[in-house]
Amino acid sequence: MRLALFSHSLRSDWNHGNAHFLRGVVTELCARGHEVRCYEPSDAWSVQNLIAEAGEGALARAAEIYPALDIHPYRLAGVDDAWLDRALDGVELVLVHEWNDPGLVARLGRHRASRGYRILFHDTHHRSVSRPSEMAAYDLSRYDGVLAFGKVIRELYLANRWARRVWTWHEAADVRIFHPVEKSPGARGDLVFIGNWGDDERARELDEFLIEPVRALGLRARVHGVRYPDLARQKLAAAQIDYRGWIANFDVPSVFAAHRVTVHVPRRQYATQLPGIPTIRPFEAMASGIPLVCAPWDDVEGLFTPGEDFLVAHDGAEMRRHLGALLAEPARAVAMAERARRTILARHTCAHRTDELYAISRELDLQPERTGWAAA
């Protein structure tokens, strides 16, 4: 099958967790013999910020880690029907991630109307509940459907009549990247948190479920992420938490291997308004074989078995108890982490999501088992 992907960026994962999953799915498609053209703005915000923080070398490293990605940067001002004719020549399925210019989203829909390919919109954000007017402004009238990364978002699209056909397509772990790494014989930390600050969407939650438990237990802890304001960094320093800034997603498994436990603190919208959506971080932690404790999120879709694949802390006091118990009982922690990894490998890898994309493609009268480019 011949595909094209329009995303904000695959070159950069700076404050862009969706790149992790998209890179994994594209790599899996290529491994199965498909050809995927990946298009992204040449001036993508994530790329600009990555270069500012880590330099051009960070882009080169990502290109080495993901050699299958065929990335074509473009200038938005240069996108017209002639450019799209060239970019999408021979393509059968186009995936358009939600972090794209609304004008481009609409133009792609209009272009598809007179061509033979299929086109799907991919929503992996909480804006359907936090900023519904923004999502309503997307013109999806000519799209063949929407891939929503949770059942609740699928239902919102249908209830609001933003799209006629919507499939639930959760994110998943790229197990080519996220897997257990041999632990260093040197000193190890107790806890690591991988996550960006965001827009104050979980400031209180990070205080309650990360900073205060670390302080109370006196743990050796590290935080990786971006956009932490000065006040947040001051709080981390006061709790003696080592703040390390941005980390490439493909370096995260090695950091997990240097620590004994990790935590996940969902953004407020996922904890209160979008049940069933864990976002990418828990998938990656469990795939890497590190014990995980989560602040509350409701696994209404039954992706995992809370209490067995990971522990749930409903408040800061319970987080302290769970962390203390896992650190005091390493055999229990290892057993939980091993079970969680088995769950990932059985149900939640990019290969599983590619199989799901195959099934959706068949519903659109495509033949996903056919690989390679058709003769011109």
Side-chain angles (χ1 to χ4, degrees), residues 20 173-175 177-184 186-195 210 220-225 244 247-265 279-294 327 333-334 337 340-341 344:
H20 307 189
D174 179 359
V175 295
I177 300 295
F178 288 89
H179 53 77
V181 173
E182 184 176 355
K183 295 174 173 52
S184 169
R188 296 177 63 201
D190 295 317
L191 179 148
V192 63
F193 174 73
I194 310 289
L210 174 66
R220 296 165 297 169
R222 183 196 299 187
V223 166
H224 282 280
R244 295 285 189 93
I247 183 173
N249 78 306
F250 44 81
D251 288 331
V252 168
S254 295
V255 174
F256 281 150
H259 293 82
R260 301 169 64 193
V261 67
T262 190
V263 300
H264 174 57
V265 183
T279 69
I280 194 68
R281 300 294 186 185
F283 290 113
E284 294 175 342
M286 287 185 270
S288 299
I290 186 171
L292 171 67
V293 186
C294 287
L327 293 171
V334 168
R341 176 161 167 79
I344 292 291

Side-chain angles (χ1 to χ4, degrees), residues 297-317:
W297 69 274
D298 191 358
D299 187 14
V300 297
E301 297 188 48
L303 301 177
F304 303 102
T305 305
E308 297 184 26
D309 291 321
F310 59 88
L311 301 180
V312 180
H314 295 90
D315 55 34

Side-chain angles (χ1 to χ4, degrees), residues 30-61:
C30 292
R32 297 186 186 193
H34 303 290
E35 297 191 36
V36 188
R37 299 171 181 170
C38 304
Y39 296 99
E40 62 180 67
S42 56
D43 61 349
W45 174 85
S46 178
V47 171
Q48 292 178 325
N49 280 280
L50 178 58
I51 293 173
E53 179 161 340
E56 295 276 357
L59 298 180
R61 281 197 68 213

Side-chain angles (χ1 to χ4, degrees), residues 62 67 148 178 181 200 210 227 230 242 257 264 285 313 338 341 354 360 368:
F178 288 89
V181 173
D200 290 328
L210 174 66
R227 300 179 68 197
D230 289 343
D242 183 15
H264 174 57
E338 290 177 346
R341 176 161 167 79
T354 300
I360 293 166

Side-chain angles (χ1 to χ4, degrees), residues 334-351:
V334 168
M336 185 177 74
E338 290 177 346
R339 177 196 159 93
R341 176 161 167 79
R342 289 195 298 271
T343 299
I344 292 291
L345 294 177
R347 300 165 57 187
H348 303 304
T349 69
C350 288

